[in-house]
Amino acid sequence: MASGGEPPPRRIQRVLTWIVGGVAALLLALAATGLLATWFITRQVEARYPPAGRLVPVAGGHLAVLEAGPGEGRPSRGTVVLLHGASANGMDPMQGFGRRLAGDGFRVLAFDRPGFGWSDRVAGPEAASPAVQARLIAEALGAMGVGPATIVGHSWSGALAAALALDHPERVSGLVLLAPALYPWPSGVVPGYAGWYRSGLGRALLWIATRTIAAPLGLAYLDRFAEAVFRPEPLPADYVDAARVPLALRPAAFAANLQDLDGLYGFLVGQSRRYPEIAVPTTIVAGDIDPIVRTAVHAVPMAQAVPGARLVVLPGIGHMLHYTATDTVVSEIEMVAALQRVGSD
């Protein structure tokens, strides 16, 4: 070693320290950028899509509900309650077919499920259970003086609508299930939604991701995600904005969506055994090429399990049938509502 020179190990250690420090500084800068971007996106989304209905008090918070059609106390053809699927809010079914039903004389209520849209995530992580969400929605319907009503559930909310009929039959006079998730599926895993966040480290990573990268990345790819859900039909040009889809990118809603999807399989293992107990007029409508919720796994066995259930399988239709086969959906809902009126005469 030359006189006065620095020992090689010490020099290497110093270089490594610089590298680690530089990487840490870069990560902190990226995190700070992500936090700022998420804050900005959240504020912009909430400003563009403010509450459009009313907030109904329930134990522990409020549920948001959109309303259309004849008001309380006015004659109507009946009340229809719309329950949206994953990554959505009450405006999705309201825009798809709710306003059409309202124009036909029905009182229509479209709920933001707990943690979505402008509804509180009442009960926290426990609200991932369709049974808990059913309890909260039944409570809100009671507070509004509604029931029994026709319950329409799309996708994830097929399980929720069934839970309402099983656990709160006083609020349900009929069921219409659209592309519904109702049974445990063969893989048991929702692609991209494995329960990695359940560990302490996973929860920490989820907290960081939802507040830094989820909103910016989600916003960048939102149209592609929507196109995938609509396949094989084309995405309507105004769907993302009209259905207020960006509300799902906010940190709390993103986490709630992940929890709901991850917990659904386990819940359906138990609930699916109870479907023969459903005792109201029930219609299941599904597309024969739905790539997201397989008709053969969910809709077909449900029609066999529920006494008197009607199954309508639409050829060439995918998952978003309430937008791509609206006439059929509205017709089937009106048929179920008519059966209820006949039964009450």
Side-chain angles (χ1 to χ4, degrees), residues 14 27 48 55 57 65 110 122 124 134 182 203 212 222 236 248 250 264 284 301-302 327:
R14 185 172 61 182
L27 290 176
R48 181 166 181 79
L55 297 178
V65 60
V122 183
L182 295 162
R203 287 194 296 271
T212 56
L222 201 55
R250 296 170 299 166
L264 184 60
I284 306 105
M302 184 65 164
D327 289 346

Side-chain angles (χ1 to χ4, degrees), residues 87 92 218-246 292 318-324:
S87 307
D92 173 272
L219 190 62
Y221 290 94
L222 201 55
D223 284 343
R224 295 186 188 181
F225 293 153
E227 287 172 357
V229 175
F230 269 85
R231 288 174 187 159
E233 291 94 358
L235 172 69
D238 62 344
Y239 171 75
V240 170
D241 188 55
R244 298 181 153 207
V245 177
I292 296 174
H319 190 61
M320 298 296 281
L321 69 172
H322 54 305
Y323 278 84
T324 60

Side-chain angles (χ1 to χ4, degrees), residues 45-74:
V45 165
E46 292 182 341
R48 181 166 181 79
Y49 309 111
R54 64 163 151 163
L55 297 178
V56 181
V58 295
H62 295 81
L63 295 186
V65 60
L66 303 170
E67 302 177 79
E72 295 181 51
R74 297 183 179 181

Side-chain angles (χ1 to χ4, degrees), residues 16-330:
L16 289 176
T17 300
W18 288 342
I19 293 173
V20 171
V23 170
L26 177 61
L27 290 176
L28 285 173
L30 290 173
T33 301
L35 283 168
L36 182 60
T38 298
W39 177 87
F40 180 77
I41 290 169
T42 299
R43 298 289 83 76
Q44 291 295 307
V45 165
E46 292 182 341
R48 181 166 181 79
Y49 309 111
R54 64 163 151 163
L55 297 178
V56 181
V58 295
H62 295 81
L63 295 186
V65 60
L66 303 170
E67 302 177 79
E72 295 181 51
R74 297 183 179 181
S76 76
R77 297 175 64 186
T79 300
V80 180
V81 176
L82 311 182
L83 303 173
H84 64 85
S87 307
N89 60 81
M91 194 63 79
D92 173 272
M94 181 62 85
Q95 288 291 101
F97 61 97
R99 300 197 191 283
R100 167 90 169 269
L101 286 169
D104 289 345
F106 289 92
R107 182 187 180 196
V108 180
L109 307 175
F111 279 92
D112 289 343
R113 293 195 287 106
F116 295 80
W118 289 98
S119 287
D120 297 327
R121 185 66 165 178
V122 183
E126 293 182 6
S129 168
V132 173
Q133 295 194 21
R135 172 176 59 79
L136 293 168
I137 289 170
E139 183 182 347
L141 290 173
M144 299 173 71
V146 173
T150 302
I151 309 297
V152 183
H154 174 244
S155 193
W156 191 97
S157 279
L160 171 56
L164 269 166
L166 289 166
D167 298 341
H168 308 278
E170 73 283 359
R171 299 295 167 198
V172 181
S173 57
L175 286 179
V176 179
L177 309 175
L178 308 176
L182 295 162
Y183 285 86
W185 51 95
S187 69
V189 175
V190 178
Y193 290 96
W196 54 268
Y197 67 86
R198 293 173 184 155
S199 67
L201 176 60
R203 287 194 296 271
L205 291 174
L206 175 63
W207 189 93
I208 294 170
T210 56
R211 287 159 177 80
T212 56
I213 63 172
L217 286 178
L219 190 62
Y221 290 94
L222 201 55
D223 284 343
R224 295 186 188 181
F225 293 153
E227 287 172 357
V229 175
F230 269 85
R231 288 174 187 159
E233 291 94 358
L235 172 69
D238 62 344
Y239 171 75
V240 170
D241 188 55
R244 298 181 153 207
V245 177
L247 284 169
L249 298 177
R250 296 170 299 166
F254 189 92
N257 197 45
L258 181 63
Q259 292 167 356
D260 283 8
L261 289 167
D262 181 61
L264 184 60
Y265 180 91
F267 176 81
L268 291 177
V269 169
Q271 176 169 275
S272 58
R273 303 187 186 105
R274 301 176 57 199
Y275 293 150
E277 302 171 20
I278 293 176
V280 295
T282 299
T283 293
I284 306 105
V285 187
D288 68 341
I289 53 175
D290 186 338
I292 296 174
V293 178
R294 301 289 181 180
T295 297
V297 174
H298 300 271
V300 172
M302 184 65 164
Q304 297 168 347
V306 177
R310 169 179 165 84
L311 174 63
V312 179
V313 179
L314 304 177
I317 297 297
H319 190 61
M320 298 296 281
L321 69 172
H322 54 305
Y323 278 84
T324 60
T326 308
D327 289 346
T328 299
V329 167
V330 169

